[in-house]
Structures are given as structure tokens and as C-alpha cells.
Amino acid sequence: METLLSPSTLLTPLRGSKKTPSVAVSLRSVVSCALRKQQQPPQQPIAAWSGDGGRGVGSWASFLKHGLAAAALSLAISLAPAPAPAVASEFDVLNGGPPEDSYVVDDAGVLSRVTKSDVKRLVRDLEARKNVRINFITVRKLTSKADAFEYADQVLEKWYPTVEEGNNKGIVVLVTSQKEGAITGGPAFVKAVGDEILDSTVSENLPVLATDEKYNEAIYTTAKRLAAAIDGLPDPGGPSFKENKRESNFKTKEETEGKRGQFTLVVGGLLVIAFVVPMAQYYAYISKK
């Protein structure tokens, strides 16, 4: 039989036994050790790695989150489009003053590098020989002035405020959106070029070639005509005109009558076929019966 012993029974000396003290001490130590093992709290698992004060996995998640955010920000900055360069306006041309060495202010951005170089070489040589300076300006549109002539006068007065400064200066303006141009200058410039060449250049070279969007040719041929006039050379002339006769989409009376006769013949033939063929088929069907 199994005997159940309570803790009090184990700790209490047996009656009539003289060796109970040693037995009781050993049993008490066993029970106390067992109780101590049961009362110890379970140990926490040791973190695999804690680089920020023992926070473990949470630190890894925080580190990864911040890293991804920084990477996304740098990627967005690198992929963002670069800011568009500022485009000058007619007011910037006025406030910018005359070009020191280029002789050309291409605000409209329609002139090639070759044209700028050719114009620069031509008018720089002219200035060195005749002491007459010509500046060329292209703009897309005008908002402050009604036409190119008013704007050209405004540029001349702004860049060369006194008569002495603007006496031998010339200004050529080409407005690309309005397909028009203007030439103005001081008294010495106008006298050196002559009214006839000025009027011919403004009415032929600039507007005609600008209408065909030949802006490079418009500026360069204008520079050549002005330089030739100042040098006293024969006028190279303006652009050659090509008369393009527009063909009319309307038919002549003879063509209309001919087409009408053909149409009547075709319609009449179709009507005859539509009437005769069914009658012939019906006649053949009746004859067989």
C-alpha cells in the first residue's frame, strides 16, 4: 500500500524514533530547494544582438525603417526633374544692356551658333573700320509695346541714354511670334545706311523670311545688307520671291458638264438593268410552265 505523507508529517519527528532530527533536517532542505526552484521566475530569452542598449529586435526594425526612409528620400531627390532654366523676357533684354562682345541677344532662342558667329564677325569688322555698331535682338513676343518699332526705340534709349552714345549705334529687332522686325538707330547710323535700305530691309528680309521661320537667314541677310550699305557697296538685295499659284478646288463649267453627262449615263444604265433583268427572269419562269 502507498502511504501519503503531508509536509507536516515529514517535518514532524516520528514518535519513538531517536534519529528523527537528522532525517527532518535532510527532508526540510530537500523541500526548501524544491520550493525555491518553483518560485524562481522564468528567464527571459537572450537577445541575439543588441546594439542600442539591449533593445534587440525592436532596434533592428527601427533601424531598417529609418534606412528605407532615407533611401526613398535620396531616390526621390535624384529622380526629381531639374528646374527649368529661367527664360529672359523683353524687360530682361532692356535691363541687361548691350552685349559687350557678341553683338547678338537671342532671347527667342532661334539662332544657331554658326549664325551668331557669322554675324559677330561681320559687324565687329564693320565697327572696327567704320565706327558703327549694330546690335541684333530676337524676342518671342512683345507685351509692353504695340510693335517692334516702339520696342526698338525703347531699347536704343535704354542702352544708350544720350545722343552722343547712341549716335553711331543701330538696333535690329526680330519678333518671332508676330513675324515682324524693326531697325532703328542714331543719326549717324541712319545716315550711313540710308532710308531706302532701311525700308527695304524692314519690309523684305525680316518679315518675309520670318514668315517662313527662316530666322537665321533673316538676321544674317539683314546684317549683310546693312554692312554693304555702310561700306558703300552694291546692295545684295532681299529674298527672292516665288509665286506659288494656288490651285482651285472648284471644278470648271466644262468639267462639271462632262461629269454630269457621265453620271446620267451610269444611272440610266443601272435603272435599265434593274428593270429588264427581273422581267427577263419572270418571263423565263412563265415559259417553263
Side-chain angles (χ1 to χ4, degrees):
M1 294 180 62
E2 296 180 356
T3 304
L4 301 175
L5 299 177
S6 63
S8 59
T9 306
L10 297 173
L11 297 176
T12 304
L14 296 176
R15 294 180 182 179
S17 176
K18 294 182 180 181
K19 298 181 180 180
T20 52
S22 61
V23 177
V25 172
S26 62
L27 291 175
R28 186 181 293 112
S29 62
V30 172
V31 173
S32 61
C33 289
L35 292 176
R36 277 198 302 270
K37 291 182 178 180
Q38 294 179 359
Q39 292 176 359
Q40 287 182 356
Q43 294 183 353
Q44 298 292 336
I46 301 176
W49 181 86
S50 59
D52 53 351
R55 285 177 289 179
V57 179
S59 64
W60 269 106
S62 177
F63 177 78
L64 184 60
K65 179 179 179 180
H66 291 298
L68 290 176
L73 180 60
S74 69
L75 181 62
I77 293 175
S78 63
L79 294 180
V87 179
S89 65
E90 54 185 300
F91 303 103
D92 297 326
V93 173
L94 285 173
N95 298 327
E100 296 295 334
D101 187 52
S102 64
Y103 299 88
V104 177
V105 179
D106 185 22
D107 174 62
V110 295
L111 301 181
S112 65
R113 185 178 302 177
V114 175
T115 299
K116 293 179 182 179
S117 177
D118 292 343
V119 171
K120 174 183 175 180
R121 183 174 59 254
L122 178 64
V123 297
R124 183 174 58 185
D125 178 69
L126 180 68
E127 184 180 14
R129 293 184 292 100
K130 298 295 184 178
N131 193 28
V132 176
R133 180 185 177 94
I134 309 175
N135 297 306
F136 295 84
I137 303 172
T138 66
V139 292
R140 295 186 182 278
K141 62 180 179 179
L142 297 176
T143 58
S144 61
K145 296 299 179 180
D147 55 24
F149 288 96
E150 293 186 13
Y151 182 70
D153 291 335
Q154 186 182 15
V155 172
L156 181 65
E157 295 174 0
K158 181 70 174 180
W159 287 2
Y160 309 104
T162 64
V163 178
E164 291 76 13
E165 292 178 339
N167 183 42
N168 60 338
K169 306 299 190 302
I171 302 293
V172 179
V173 174
L174 176 63
V175 185
T176 58
S177 64
Q178 301 174 6
K179 312 298 182 184
E180 66 175 2
I183 302 176
T184 189
F189 170 79
V190 174
K191 182 179 180 180
V193 176
D195 293 336
E196 183 179 355
I197 298 298
L198 289 174
D199 294 340
S200 176
T201 305
V202 170
S203 60
E204 295 177 5
N205 294 73
L206 294 175
V208 173
L209 295 173
T211 302
D212 296 335
E213 298 185 354
K214 298 179 180 179
Y215 305 115
N216 291 278
E217 186 177 351
I219 292 295
Y220 186 65
T221 56
T222 299
K224 288 178 62 178
R225 293 191 71 177
L226 295 178
I230 295 173
D231 284 332
L233 300 176
D235 180 24
S240 57
F241 294 94
K242 294 181 179 180
E243 294 184 3
N244 296 325
K245 185 178 180 181
R246 296 182 178 180
E247 296 182 357
S248 175
N249 293 328
F250 297 98
K251 302 295 182 181
T252 61
K253 183 177 180 181
E254 291 77 10
E255 293 177 345
T256 304
E257 293 294 336
K259 293 291 184 181
R260 183 179 300 175
Q262 295 177 3
F263 178 76
T264 303
L265 181 61
V266 171
V267 172
L270 292 176
L271 289 176
V272 170
I273 293 174
F275 178 76
V276 172
V277 170
M279 293 297 295
Q281 291 178 347
Y282 179 74
Y283 178 76
Y285 175 75
I286 296 298
S287 300
K288 289 181 180 180
K289 290 187 175 182

